[in-house]
């Protein structure tokens, strides 16, 4: 039986009026009457009592109404299942972030997206957080978790996730760096920062924050012991007693050597920075990118 025939019968069983049902399906009353007659012939039973004044369902008609409604419902369910399958996204989504962000921020971002789009393959590249924006601009990745730069390029879209505080850390082990800090504290003097070995990230927002912070101290040229790629490596070098460093607190809290470093208090105000997900503006309309941002909004 055709779905349209079943739909006509269900509609007629509700209106009990040939004229109204014929109008709803854009056919003439006589055409509708012939449809019902063919249906009755097919089931070999009268489905309606009708005369010039009224239309009523027979016992067979009431049973057939239930059958027709079930068939139409199953048909709609089947079509919906096909539509859902067509809408399932596939492909690869390439993400760049730091090792720390892979622990602290990425899992909750991906959890909902992967539940909604299980066929999408996630490709993850980790490295220095300061390189994230460059990876996006070079189209090496679809999006990156990165710090908001001093000047956001017009070609880049930035979705804010969190504000990250920065801290100055020092080693806990007995070493020249710690002795220098402790001596200065015992003498109740200002730390001579120009003598303290400092470990810095090669570039990026944290490096800029350090430059602003150190410039306010007006103690001459900083004693740069080393520059490293990635905040995780910076924390490790501080833990080894090589110097002090300015790093995001979230990196320290997720570091395997966090028990070997300590936060320095009363070292001056350090401006935090914003972290977020960025991609090219021209990529926002792509199905995978659009679906990802929809899942985290």
């Amino acid at each position: 039986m055709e779905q349209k025939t079943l739909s006509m019968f269900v509609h007629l069983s509700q209106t009990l009026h040939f004229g109204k049902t014929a109008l709803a399906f854009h056919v003439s009353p006589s055409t509708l009457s012939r449809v019902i007659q063919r249906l009755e012939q097919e089931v070999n039973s009268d489905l309606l009592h009708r005369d010039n004044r009224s239309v009523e369902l027979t016992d067979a008609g009431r049973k057939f109404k239930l059958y027709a409604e079930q068939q139409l419902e199953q048909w709609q369910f089947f079509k919906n299942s096909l539509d859902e399958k067509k809408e399932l996204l596939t492909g690869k989504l390439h993400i760049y972030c730091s090792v720390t962000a892979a622990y602290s921020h990425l899992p909750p971002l991906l959890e909902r997206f992967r539940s909604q789009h299980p066929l999408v393959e996630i490709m993850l590249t980790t490295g220095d957080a300061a390189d994230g924006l460059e990876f996006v601009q070079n189209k090496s990745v679809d999006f990156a978790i990165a710090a908001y730069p001093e000047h956001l390029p017009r070609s880049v879209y930035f979705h804010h996730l969190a504000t990250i505080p920065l801290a100055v850390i020092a080693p806990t082990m007995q070493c020249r760096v710690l002795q220098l800090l402790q001596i200065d504290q015992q003498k109740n003097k200002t730390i001579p920062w120009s003598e303290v070995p400092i470990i810095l990230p090669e570039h990026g927002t944290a490096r800029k924050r350090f430059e602003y912070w150190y410039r306010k101290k007006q103690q001459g040229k900083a004693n740069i012991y080393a520059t490293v790629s990635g905040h995780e490596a910076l924390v490790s070098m501080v833990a080894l007693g090589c110097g002090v460093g300015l790093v995001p607190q979230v990196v320290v809290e997720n570091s395997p050597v966090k028990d070997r470093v300590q936060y320095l208090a009363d070292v001056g105000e350090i401006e935090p920075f914003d972290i977020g997900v960025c991609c090219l503006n021209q990529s926002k309309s792509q199905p995978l990118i659009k679906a990802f941002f929809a899942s985290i909004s």
Side-chain angles (χ1 to χ4, degrees), residues 1-290:
M1 298 178 185
E2 294 182 358
Q3 303 303 313
K4 185 177 181 180
T5 298
L6 295 178
S7 297
M8 285 183 174
F9 178 80
V10 169
H11 191 280
L12 182 58
S13 70
Q14 296 169 343
T15 65
L16 297 177
H17 194 287
F18 274 79
K20 292 180 180 179
T21 297
L23 183 63
F25 284 87
H26 307 289
V27 297
S28 65
S30 59
T31 298
L32 176 59
S33 181
R34 289 194 294 272
V35 169
I36 298 302
Q37 288 174 0
R38 287 196 298 269
L39 195 55
E40 290 176 324
Q41 292 173 0
E42 191 168 354
V43 300
N44 195 27
S45 181
D46 291 337
L47 301 177
L48 298 168
H49 288 308
R50 49 193 181 273
D51 55 33
N52 292 333
R53 293 185 178 181
S54 64
V55 177
E56 293 181 1
L57 288 171
T58 65
D59 289 340
R62 283 188 284 272
K63 292 179 181 178
F64 189 78
K65 178 187 176 184
L66 293 175
Y67 166 80
E69 289 174 338
Q70 291 172 354
Q71 291 301 308
L72 291 172
E73 183 179 352
Q74 289 296 316
W75 173 249
Q76 190 60 47
F77 178 80
F78 172 71
K79 290 200 300 180
N80 289 343
S81 68
L82 291 182
D83 291 340
E84 289 175 0
K85 189 172 182 179
K86 290 178 182 177
E87 292 174 1
L88 285 177
L89 290 175
T90 59
K92 295 181 180 181
L93 196 62
H94 201 159
I95 305 167
Y96 179 91
C97 67
S98 68
V99 173
T100 297
Y103 296 134
S104 60
H105 290 84
L106 188 59
L109 294 180
L110 287 180
E111 184 176 2
R112 184 178 178 188
F113 176 79
R114 286 185 56 77
S115 67
Q116 294 175 346
H117 308 287
L119 300 184
V120 175
E121 185 178 354
I122 304 298
M123 310 292 291
L124 177 62
T125 299
T126 58
D128 189 349
D131 294 330
L133 202 61
E134 182 179 351
F135 271 71
V136 168
Q137 290 180 291
N138 292 339
K139 299 182 179 181
S140 300
V141 297
D142 295 307
F143 67 86
I145 298 178
Y148 193 91
E150 282 191 293
H151 304 288
L152 183 70
R154 296 181 62 182
S155 61
V156 176
Y157 169 75
F158 186 90
H159 177 91
H160 178 268
L161 292 177
T163 298
I164 305 298
L166 290 160
V168 178
I169 59 172
T172 58
M173 64 183 294
Q174 289 300 320
C175 60
R176 177 179 174 275
V177 174
L178 190 59
Q179 290 173 353
L180 178 61
L181 296 173
Q182 290 174 340
I183 290 173
D184 290 325
Q185 291 173 353
Q186 291 169 2
K187 293 180 179 180
N188 196 25
K189 293 181 179 180
T190 302
I191 296 175
W193 287 104
S194 60
E195 300 177 20
V196 177
I198 295 174
I199 304 164
L200 289 177
E202 290 179 343
H203 58 287
T205 303
R207 176 67 178 253
K208 293 290 185 182
R209 292 291 192 274
F210 167 81
E211 292 171 355
Y212 296 149
W213 170 77
Y214 189 82
R215 192 178 303 132
K216 291 179 181 179
K217 298 190 175 301
Q218 298 181 339
Q219 292 198 23
K221 187 176 180 181
N223 177 20
I224 308 299
Y225 176 84
T227 57
V228 297
S229 176
H231 297 126
E232 294 82 8
L234 192 155
V235 175
S236 295
M237 290 195 69
V238 171
L240 290 171
C242 299
V244 302
L246 188 151
V247 294
Q249 288 186 17
V250 65
V251 177
V252 179
E253 298 307 317
N254 285 275
S255 173
V257 295
K258 64 180 180 180
D259 295 333
R260 298 172 63 182
V261 300
Q262 59 182 313
Y263 294 113
L264 293 183
D266 302 322
V267 293
E269 184 179 352
I270 305 170
E271 183 183 358
F273 63 83
D274 294 329
I275 190 174
V277 179
C278 58
C279 73
L280 291 175
N281 275 308
Q282 66 184 32
S283 302
K284 284 177 59 181
S285 60
Q286 294 178 4
L288 290 181
I289 302 295
K290 184 177 180 180

